[in-house]
């Protein structure tokens, strides 16, 4: 019997597979496509997930940069530029790697870890028993696993076959058009890198620009074709019968800006996509017995602000160590259920954020008035800081002991000064094992009975006021220095009784 069967070899499924392998469980990944589609999707990763990739040793191999990630000086929220330089503690990170390249990097890492990825296998039915899940593939093959994870996207077959509802709202009022394009040099602003449109002015790069008629975004990525996107709210529905064309996009730009922009097709294959409306949905439950949902299979929302991969990949890291502990037999009672209790509120908060941004970009003079007020508020560092934490996921705190001020928060970028010299937390978490950082040398003695599953490092801690930290595999804090009794309780609560 297979321990864990993952349906879907996209970023979330592959990330979960890597986490399980690090946790001592070898999953099997099924993917209905025979090869990666190569379809342009996300243009990069934003938020705290960039720090998470650094803590798994993936940031350098994906970015080509040997240095740790640094926060970005600016971002956008609801077509407002966010000046993040005003923040003393900027939580917002960006990794400008296209999704296809990111998936290839994850697939290579999964192969290094011995993960079995089987392409061209489509799940068409499943049956759940008391000790496992049997799936039927399109070719008639049957496979049985102890757990089944649906990481197969917003139209998840696993979710449907498991009978899990997907309540939410479909908003069909907007139409978005996106294409990879070229524009003549005369339409480029040499100072900003934006578009210089006669009759309108400058459309800045890598931002959403709102007019009373719609939205436009210009993304001139270095080394690859630029992407142009518009969003409108037409009075009548736009059909999907005719394929999207550059002429259609050019006409949309003219309506949004009130001015004409000349666009052409790039050399080689390009993107031409029209999306009618948007979906905002969260699964009725993330777990049904031995079936679990991950990423877009559990939640879908508009892409405003690019939160999708930040949310889904951190779902995978939250689920990975808990599922591995359950399979290996040391998980405390109820640990697997905390996947939903911890991650559902995060998804609901992302949904709230995307809804708020959708309202702020809507057309109309009344929305323009609201935006004028919002622009005033964003000049306050505390407001921009609140929005940046929301957008990046830095405001996530999982349920924890209220007497422990650090528990439940993501661990800071601690540096340990010990026998090996200075070592970053990110260098100690590549193995995805629980970690006890101890500057006193006494807490490691208390935790010694858990040494089979908890790594322990002693040394002076820089970057935190705590004298000791117990860090979960997903890099959230399980405990910060208290007495020996509270440490034993935290070890038992998160990582089970010692053998």
């Amino acid at each position: 019997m297979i321990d864990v069967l993952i349906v879907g070899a996209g970023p979330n499924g592959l990330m979960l597979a890597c986490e399980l392998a690090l946790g001592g469980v070898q999953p099997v990944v099924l993917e209905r496509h025979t090869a990666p589609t190569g379809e342009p999707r996300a243009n990069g990763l934003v938020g705290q997930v960039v720090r998470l990739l650094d803590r798994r040793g993936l940031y350098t191999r994906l970015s080509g940069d040997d240095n740790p990630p640094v926060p970005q000086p600016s971002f956008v929220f609801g077509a407002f530029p966010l000046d993040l330089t005003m923040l003393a503690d900027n939580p917002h990170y960006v990794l400008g790697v296209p999704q296809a390249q990111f998936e290839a990097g994850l697939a290579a890492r999964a192969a290094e870890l011995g993960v079995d990825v089987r392409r061209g296998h489509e799940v068409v039915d499943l049956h759940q028993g008391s000790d496992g899940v049997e799936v039927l593939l399109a070719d008639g093959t049957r496979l049985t696993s102890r757990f089944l994870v649906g990481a197969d996207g917003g139209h998840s077959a696993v979710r449907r076959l498991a009978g899990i509802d997907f309540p939410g709202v479909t908003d069909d009022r907007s139409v978005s058009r996106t294409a990879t394009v070229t524009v003549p040099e005369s339409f480029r602003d040499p100072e900003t890198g934006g578009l210089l449109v006669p009759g309108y002015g400058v459309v800045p790069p890598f931002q959403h620009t709102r007019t009373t008629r719609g939205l436009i975004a210009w993304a001139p990525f270095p080394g690859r074709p630029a992407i142009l996107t518009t969003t409108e709210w037409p009075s009548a529905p736009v059909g999907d019968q005719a394929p999207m064309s550059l002429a259609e996009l050019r006409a949309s730009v003219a309506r949004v800006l009130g001015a004409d922009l000349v666009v052409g097709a790039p050399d080689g294959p390009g993107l031409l996509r029209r999306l009618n409306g948007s979906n905002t949905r969260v699964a009725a439950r993330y777990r049904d017995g031995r079936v679990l949902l991950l990423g877009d299979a559990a939640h879908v929302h508009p892409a405003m602000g690019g939160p999708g991969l930040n949310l889904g990949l951190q779902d995978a890291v939250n689920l990975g160590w808990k599922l591995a502990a359950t399979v290996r037999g040391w998980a405390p009672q109820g640990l697997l259920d905390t996947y939903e209790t911890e991650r559902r509120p995060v998804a609901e908060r992302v949904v709230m954020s995307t809804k708020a941004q959708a309202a702020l970009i809507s057309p109309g003079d009344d929305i323009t008035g609201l935006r004028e007020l919002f622009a005033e508020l964003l000049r306050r560092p505390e407001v921009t800081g609140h929005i940046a934490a929301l957008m990046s996921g830095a405001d996530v705190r999982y349920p924890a002991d209220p007497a422990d001020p650090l528990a439940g928060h993501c661990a800071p970028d601690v540096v340990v000064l010990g026998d090996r010299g200075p070592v970053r937390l990110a260098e100690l978490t590549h193995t995805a094992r629980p970690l006890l950082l101890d500057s006193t040398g006494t807490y490691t003695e208390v935790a010694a009975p858990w040494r089979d599953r908890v790594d322990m490092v002693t040394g002076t801690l820089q970057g935190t006021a705590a004298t000791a930290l117990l860090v979960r595999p997903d890099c959230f804090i399980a405990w910060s220095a208290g007495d020996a009794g509270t440490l034993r309780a935290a070890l038992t609560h998160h990582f089970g009784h010692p053998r």
Side-chain angles (χ1 to χ4, degrees):
M1 179 184 289
I2 299 167
D3 282 328
V4 179
L5 198 57
I6 302 171
V7 180
N12 299 318
L14 290 172
M15 189 72 183
L16 176 62
C18 292
E19 292 293 301
L20 289 169
L22 289 170
V25 173
Q26 283 298 329
V28 173
V29 182
L30 302 179
E31 170 57 53
R32 64 186 181 91
H33 294 291
T34 57
T37 64
E39 178 184 345
R41 294 185 179 177
N43 296 309
L45 296 94
V46 298
Q48 293 290 294
V49 70
V50 178
R51 294 174 69 213
L52 176 63
L53 293 174
D54 181 40
R55 292 173 173 184
R56 288 296 186 264
L58 294 170
Y59 176 79
T60 294
R61 68 161 62 190
L62 290 168
S63 67
D65 189 349
D66 292 332
N67 298 308
V70 296
Q72 293 296 297
S74 62
F75 201 63
V76 291
F77 178 84
F80 285 98
L82 294 178
D83 178 10
L84 304 179
T85 62
M86 68 172 72
L87 304 181
D89 185 15
N90 179 1
H92 208 79
Y93 296 78
V94 174
L95 176 58
V97 174
Q99 182 168 327
Q101 180 181 338
F102 177 59
E103 283 188 26
L106 282 181
R109 178 57 173 156
E112 292 172 4
L113 294 170
V115 174
D116 183 1
V117 179
R118 304 177 186 178
R119 293 190 173 273
H121 294 273
E122 182 178 2
V123 174
V124 295
D125 200 5
L126 67 84
H127 174 73
Q128 185 171 181
S130 59
D131 59 352
V133 183
E134 182 184 73
V135 299
L136 174 65
L137 305 184
D139 63 2
T141 302
R142 295 183 182 272
L143 298 173
T144 304
S145 64
R146 295 178 64 184
F147 289 94
L148 174 67
V149 180
D152 50 344
H155 299 286
S156 170
V158 171
R159 186 187 63 238
R160 173 177 54 81
L161 293 169
I164 300 175
D165 291 336
F166 204 33
V169 175
T170 297
D171 185 345
D172 59 359
R173 294 176 297 172
S174 65
V175 178
S176 295
R177 299 173 175 89
T178 300
T180 46
V181 300
T182 61
V183 299
E185 285 299 318
S186 60
F187 283 86
R188 290 179 176 264
D189 180 22
E191 293 186 8
T192 66
L195 293 174
L196 186 59
V197 184
Y200 174 79
V202 175
V203 176
F206 302 109
Q207 293 185 22
H208 295 104
T209 298
R210 179 207 176 254
T211 73
T212 56
R213 299 172 296 276
L215 193 77
I216 185 170
W218 164 247
F221 294 104
R224 52 192 172 109
I227 294 179
L228 183 65
T229 297
T230 65
T231 302
E232 297 180 84
W233 289 260
S235 57
V238 176
D240 287 324
Q241 293 81 8
M244 165 78 174
S245 66
L246 285 179
E248 179 181 334
L249 177 63
R250 183 175 179 177
S252 177
V253 171
R255 291 190 296 269
V256 171
L257 297 182
D260 191 34
L261 172 68
V262 176
V263 296
D267 294 333
L271 170 66
L272 281 170
R273 182 172 61 205
R274 181 198 307 116
L275 294 177
N276 288 309
S278 62
N279 279 301
T280 301
R281 299 180 181 277
V282 179
R285 55 193 183 279
Y286 283 20
R287 179 187 180 190
D288 184 83
R290 293 180 175 269
V291 177
L292 299 110
L293 302 178
L294 174 66
D296 288 355
H299 41 68
V300 295
H301 46 76
M304 181 70 69
L309 285 175
N310 189 26
L311 179 60
L313 291 169
Q314 297 211 58
D315 284 350
V317 175
N318 184 285
L319 175 60
W321 71 274
K322 297 172 181 178
L323 188 52
T326 302
V327 170
R328 296 187 64 190
W330 58 258
Q333 183 69 30
L335 179 67
L336 195 54
D337 289 328
T338 66
Y339 166 57
E340 177 167 356
T341 58
E342 290 185 346
R343 294 305 297 170
R344 172 182 283 278
V346 182
E348 291 171 343
R349 191 157 175 77
V350 168
V351 165
M352 177 272 289
S353 169
T354 57
K355 285 181 177 179
Q357 292 180 78
L360 285 168
I361 66 173
S362 299
D365 292 339
D366 53 346
I367 300 299
T368 300
L370 174 63
R371 291 181 61 83
E372 291 173 357
L373 173 61
F374 207 82
E376 290 183 14
L377 295 174
L378 286 176
R379 288 196 282 270
R380 297 175 175 267
E382 64 271 24
V383 175
T384 293
H386 185 90
I387 296 295
L390 168 66
M391 294 285 285
S392 66
D395 60 353
V396 173
R397 186 188 184 189
Y398 297 143
D401 181 359
D404 188 335
L406 298 181
H409 290 280
C410 188
D413 290 323
V414 175
V415 175
V416 183
L417 301 178
D419 296 339
R420 294 186 291 167
V423 180
R424 298 170 55 229
L425 174 67
E427 299 173 74
L428 299 171
T429 55
H430 292 187
T431 60
R433 282 171 56 87
L435 178 66
L436 177 64
L437 304 177
D438 181 11
S439 65
T440 70
T442 59
Y443 292 111
T444 53
E445 297 178 13
V446 177
W450 285 267
R451 193 175 291 277
D452 65 308
R453 73 201 73 152
V454 179
D455 290 340
M456 303 177 196
V457 178
T458 58
T460 302
L461 305 185
Q462 293 185 338
T464 179
T467 56
L469 291 173
L470 180 62
V471 182
R472 305 182 343 175
D474 57 0
C475 296
F476 276 75
I477 297 172
W479 169 90
S480 63
D483 57 33
T486 59
L487 175 56
R488 291 191 191 94
L491 286 162
T492 303
H493 177 74
H494 289 89
F495 312 124
H497 292 284
R499 292 191 187 279

